[in-house]
Amino acid sequence: MKTAKMILDRDYRIGKVDDRLFGSFIEHLGRAVYGGIYEPGHPLADELGFRTDVIEAVKNLGVPVVRYPGGNFVSGFRWEDSVGPAAERPRRLDLAWFTTETNEVGLHEFAAWAEKVGAEVMYAVNLGTRGPEQARDVVEYANHRGGSALSDRRIANGRREPFDIRLWCLGNEMDGPWQMGQKTAVEYGRTANEAAKMMKWVDPTIEVVACGSSSSEMPTFGDWELTMLNECYDNIDYVSLHRYYGNPTGDTAGFLARTMDMDDFIHTMGSICDAVKGKKHSKKQVQLSFDEWNVWYHSNEQDREIWKREKWDRALPLLEDVYNFEDALLVGSMLITLLRNADRVRIACLAQLVNVIAPIMTRSGGGCWAQTIYYPFLHASRYGRGTALRAVVDSPVYDCRDYEGVPVIDAAAVLGDDGGVTVFCVNRDLAEDCMLALDLRSFGDLRMRDHLLLHHDDVKAVNTEADPRQVCPSSLPTAAVDGGRAQIRLPALSWNVLRFERA
Ligand code: AHR
């Protein structure tokens, strides 16, 4: 058996974990909206047509913020299509996903759904085919109290009180050639700056997120940020990061090491923001919004086939990745990476939430179940709030194709507001358990309350509607805390949540 050591000290803090680190994303894509959150006629639909089983599954995750309505979709979206009497809303071709958008669900309906699940809306404006004028218009429609044409239209459409949307994305992945209205970094930086200025003139209390590179693998990553931030630094609050990983070759050790890249991406992005800050002699710190992250690759081939057969249908079953156990481990490591960078990453959105690369799946007319990745997200959202601690970890390491010195034990720790401590660990070792020696002496008297475990002997095991609990958490016996020290066995290939409370 391997051994590792971790020292935690209540005074060695990374920073407060922003609750919005546990955000998610619903795009008008595939069956996320239609057949996902919204299915009038389903036996469990509520008076607005929203599935109550999905609402319960989302509420259980405690998602505080949901990005909406896209994604690539937003870059061709006309927000006005999505308000007013539903029967009069236009059907439009969506060039992002080659489907037809019916606009049955729009801003009012989505805001009502978000209220039901207890989340705030993070609204993306279209800076692809549209520009600053339509962006400021939707802020006025959503957030102005009334007495102007657009805010009065909202009131006439049934919503007297402003929606009070606090967080706005200035477009989506504007560096990508797949994006409608792709821009150069200068074009985007200028557009984002003008949009941000005008949106904030309408409502000075909002915060805005500028598009960083759509992945650290983009050839323009770095240059894009330096150039666009040079144009808009003073008027924006966050820069976005997006990253998806896959394991098409079946190399589990290499796949589980991918958070080395994620960590690097965050540090590089933070450094670039600070370089622009320095160049501009600014006192303002731009923070990071990791507003798309997940595993995404299982459905790629299937999607190509769907488009060959059924292009332009409504709610095509796109991006329906079926997640296995190793995906849950990587998602756990991605959450650990976010927590370890909680001083810089203030917002993060698991992409996405229902049916589309999602922790929650539904069958239209049928059931709703949790995919494997649901569980690490649930645990992190439930027990990862408080203050992130700087864990000192001494772990064995391994080498794989892309990285050297990958720690076998990937870990983060959080001090809760109640004085309890939670340690999240992934044991990346394919074969060996690891005995973790945990030093908690600085916290005074603690006792171990829980050891939650996610493990399956088969890394390819999945949950399905028929067998929804194939991969689900269990509890291990708790270890004794003796003089502030504990010895905890972490099984090979496992996600662990070690919860300690004041004795
Ligand atoms: O989340 C799926 C897609 O991934 C989003 O629409 C886009 O922003 C990203 O490329």
Side-chain angles (χ1 to χ4, degrees):
M1 179 162 45
K2 292 203 158 75
T3 58
K5 213 162 80 182
M6 178 188 300
I7 306 172
L8 293 173
D9 189 299
R10 60 177 309 117
D11 291 324
Y12 295 174
R13 299 169 180 216
I14 294 171
K16 184 97 188 110
V17 178
D18 193 316
D19 284 352
R20 297 171 304 174
L21 209 63
F22 308 107
S24 190
F25 178 25
I26 290 277
E27 178 167 0
H28 279 256
L29 190 188
R31 297 190 309 120
V33 175
Y34 308 115
I37 65 169
Y38 178 77
E39 197 183 336
H42 188 280
L44 296 175
D46 67 10
E47 70 294 351
L48 297 177
F50 292 120
R51 283 183 64 149
T52 52
D53 51 351
V54 175
I55 288 174
E56 285 315 308
V58 174
K59 273 167 82 173
N60 193 38
L61 285 181
V63 173
V65 60
V66 183
R67 187 165 173 254
Y68 175 84
N72 296 340
F73 168 79
V74 84
S75 295
F77 177 57
R78 306 166 215 210
W79 69 266
E80 307 89 322
D81 287 352
S82 80
V83 300
E88 291 166 24
R89 296 183 195 165
R91 296 169 69 92
R92 302 259 188 214
L93 295 190
D94 166 26
L95 307 189
W97 302 107
F98 305 108
T99 56
T100 298
E101 172 57 50
T102 60
N103 287 302
E104 290 155 78
V105 170
L107 176 53
H108 290 247
E109 293 78 15
F110 189 75
W113 180 81
E115 229 162 81
K116 283 173 190 272
V117 301
E120 69 171 284
V121 177
M122 177 183 192
Y123 196 85
V125 298
N126 174 359
L127 293 187
T129 60
R130 306 187 111 190
E133 184 176 8
Q134 293 86 5
R136 58 81 80 196
D137 281 356
V138 64
V139 176
E140 182 179 325
Y141 181 91
N143 283 9
H144 193 62
R145 61 181 181 276
S148 69
L150 290 168
S151 55
D152 286 348
R153 200 155 126 204
R154 178 196 71 238
I155 296 168
N157 286 336
R159 173 82 183 205
R160 168 148 291 282
E161 292 308 312
F163 289 111
D164 198 23
I165 298 173
R166 318 266 24 101
L167 256 180
W168 296 77
C169 301
L170 302 170
N172 178 70
E173 298 190 346
M174 297 308 310
D175 59 326
W178 57 87
Q179 207 68 215
M180 287 174 263
Q182 182 198 6
K183 301 215 170 350
T184 66
V186 175
E187 285 166 349
Y188 174 69
R190 293 280 308 122
T191 305
N193 192 55
E194 294 309 307
K197 253 169 47 185
M198 289 160 61
M199 292 161 77
K200 287 182 172 182
W201 282 338
V202 174
D203 182 352
T205 67
I206 64 170
E207 293 188 304
V208 297
V209 184
C211 295
S213 296
S214 44
S215 149
S216 48
E217 285 186 345
M218 292 299 284
T220 45
F221 169 51
D223 260 357
W224 169 270
E225 282 74 11
L226 283 169
T227 309
M228 72 89 181
L229 281 172
N230 199 36
E231 302 295 334
C232 66
Y233 192 89
D234 293 339
N235 287 308
I236 62 138
D237 304 289
Y238 304 90
V239 172
S240 71
L241 298 86
H242 291 181
R243 199 71 176 95
Y244 297 97
Y245 297 111
N247 186 15
T249 59
D251 167 17
T252 300
F255 178 59
L256 296 181
R258 299 296 275 151
T259 46
M260 304 283 281
D261 169 79
M262 184 178 182
D263 201 55
D264 219 36
F265 189 21
I266 292 169
H267 290 145
T268 309
M269 194 66 100
S271 306
I272 293 173
C273 291
D274 293 346
V276 178
K277 174 185 179 192
K279 183 188 163 200
K280 288 187 173 286
H281 303 190
S282 171
K283 289 200 164 42
K284 171 179 161 180
Q285 173 110 341
V286 164
Q287 298 287 30
L288 305 182
S289 170
F290 214 125
D291 46 43
E292 286 190 34
W293 68 268
N294 203 347
V295 172
W296 174 14
Y297 74 106
H298 296 285
S299 59
N300 294 349
E301 188 49 44
Q302 187 177 311
D303 289 348
R304 278 189 283 274
E305 290 304 313
I306 290 173
W307 279 315
K308 270 191 218 156
R309 289 195 312 265
E310 314 165 57
K311 226 171 170 180
W312 305 124
D313 281 3
R314 171 188 178 274
L316 293 172
L318 297 170
L319 278 68
E320 299 205 358
D321 276 45
V322 177
Y323 290 115
N324 60 33
F325 170 58
E326 68 179 9
D327 298 329
L329 291 180
L330 185 68
V331 162
S333 262
M334 293 178 91
L335 286 157
I336 285 171
T337 308
L338 292 171
L339 285 169
R340 276 202 307 253
N341 289 286
D343 52 341
R344 200 72 216 233
V345 183
R346 294 296 166 84
I347 304 161
C349 303
L350 172 65
Q352 297 191 10
L353 188 54
V354 182
N355 287 335
V356 170
I357 42 174
I360 300 167
M361 294 301 289
T362 68
R363 183 165 57 81
S364 302
C368 166
W369 64 100
Q371 297 230 57
T372 62
I373 63 168
Y374 186 91
Y375 296 108
F377 189 87
L378 172 75
H379 292 156
S381 170
R382 208 170 264 182
Y383 307 120
R385 316 234 178 171
T387 302
L389 296 173
R390 200 165 293 288
V392 179
V393 183
D394 184 8
S395 163
V397 295
Y398 67 94
D399 296 340
C400 57
R401 202 196 62 192
D402 293 324
Y403 310 97
E404 281 177 9
V406 182
V408 165
I409 300 301
D410 193 20
V414 174
L415 174 62
D417 295 338
D418 60 357
V421 176
T422 300
V423 179
F424 301 96
C425 297
V426 169
N427 179 358
R428 293 172 163 135
D429 199 284
L430 304 188
E432 273 189 75
D433 294 0
C434 182
M435 188 58 85
L436 177 70
L438 195 53
D439 181 340
L440 299 163
R441 284 174 297 167
S442 79
F443 297 94
D445 263 358
L446 288 180
R447 69 167 157 254
M448 193 166 181
R449 175 177 177 170
D450 251 333
H451 181 168
L452 301 172
L453 173 79
L454 191 68
H455 170 77
H456 199 286
D457 288 339
D458 177 5
V459 286
K460 303 298 178 195
V462 299
N463 293 340
T464 59
E465 186 181 9
D467 190 2
R469 298 193 63 78
Q470 189 52 231
V471 182
C472 70
S474 58
S475 281
L476 288 181
T478 53
V481 183
D482 193 2
R485 296 176 192 271
Q487 295 278 335
I488 295 158
R489 190 180 183 122
L490 307 173
L493 286 180
S494 62
W495 160 258
N496 301 266
V497 184
L498 316 175
R499 297 181 63 215
F500 298 88
E501 63 186 359
R502 302 187 72 79

